[in-house]
Structures are given as structure tokens and as C-alpha cells.
Amino acid sequence: GMPYHSSPLDLAFHALSDPTRRAVVSRLREGELPVTALAAPFDMALPSFSQHLKVLEDCGLIVSEKRGRSRWCRLVPERFNAAADWMETERRRAAERLDRLERYLDRT
């Protein structure tokens, strides 16, 4: 498991480091779905699949609730903001460095 002192950013990137979990997030962009529907495309035992959902839920990227005999999952879009903001900041810094390099090369 992840160390208990991990930041929300660490937890989000850890959760999204796995292709199965990224696929779940992509499916949930369309709207909420029951676990059985989410699990269907994956060649995986339900307990293994549920473990992936638990990782996503533990870091707050998704929430689930029981409705009758089904458990439904949905995204929590604002929980993606920390990861998105970090990536955007890094992207901007890299672009600025490249601009400076280009200007320098133009002068020489």
C-alpha cells in the first residue's frame, strides 16, 4: 500500500499509474456506472477489479454508493485538479525554457 503520509498529488498519480484504473476513469467520464458494468470489459476476477476501484476511491478520484443490490461509481472531477494543475505548471515551465533556448540560439 501507499505510505500514510502521501500527499493528494502522490495518491492521484499512483492511482492513475495503472492502465486498468485509467480505463475506469475514462469510462466514468460518460457518467456513473454500476461496478458490474465497469468490470465487464476487463479479463479480471471481480475481487481484483474491486481492489482497483478501492485505490481510486481511497484517493478520492471516485466515489461509490450502494443502490439496492448494485454498487454505483462516479468521478469526483475536482479531485483531478491537483494533478492537472501540477502538470500544467510543469508544461508551462518547460515551454518557457524552450522559448529562452530558441531566443538564445537565434542570437548566436
Side-chain angles (χ1 to χ4, degrees):
M2 292 294 288
Y4 65 92
H5 52 71
S6 293
S7 75
L9 196 61
D10 293 337
L11 293 172
F13 279 120
H14 166 70
L16 296 171
S17 69
D18 181 273
T20 298
R21 296 194 287 267
R22 285 196 304 274
V24 166
V25 166
S26 295
R27 297 268 319 279
L28 288 174
R29 276 205 300 259
E30 309 299 313
E32 54 182 7
L33 285 167
V35 169
T36 47
L38 275 174
F42 299 98
D43 186 22
M44 194 181 296
L46 198 57
S48 305
F49 185 76
S50 294
Q51 198 52 47
H52 284 298
L53 295 181
K54 182 174 161 30
V55 172
L56 288 167
E57 202 163 6
D58 284 351
C59 72
L61 292 175
I62 71 170
V63 291
S64 72
E65 64 173 343
K66 199 103 164 82
R67 289 188 207 150
R69 301 176 70 165
S70 303
R71 177 165 286 282
W72 286 70
C73 298
R74 64 180 163 84
L75 289 185
V76 184
E78 55 274 18
R79 291 300 298 224
F80 289 83
N81 294 351
D85 291 349
W86 184 87
M87 291 184 77
E88 176 54 24
T89 301
E90 293 303 310
R91 189 200 62 74
R92 205 177 311 117
R93 283 185 186 146
E96 286 163 6
R97 280 194 294 272
L98 281 174
D99 287 346
R100 282 199 300 273
L101 179 62
E102 270 178 29
R103 286 196 300 273
Y104 169 78
L105 293 175
D106 285 345
R107 284 197 308 270
T108 57

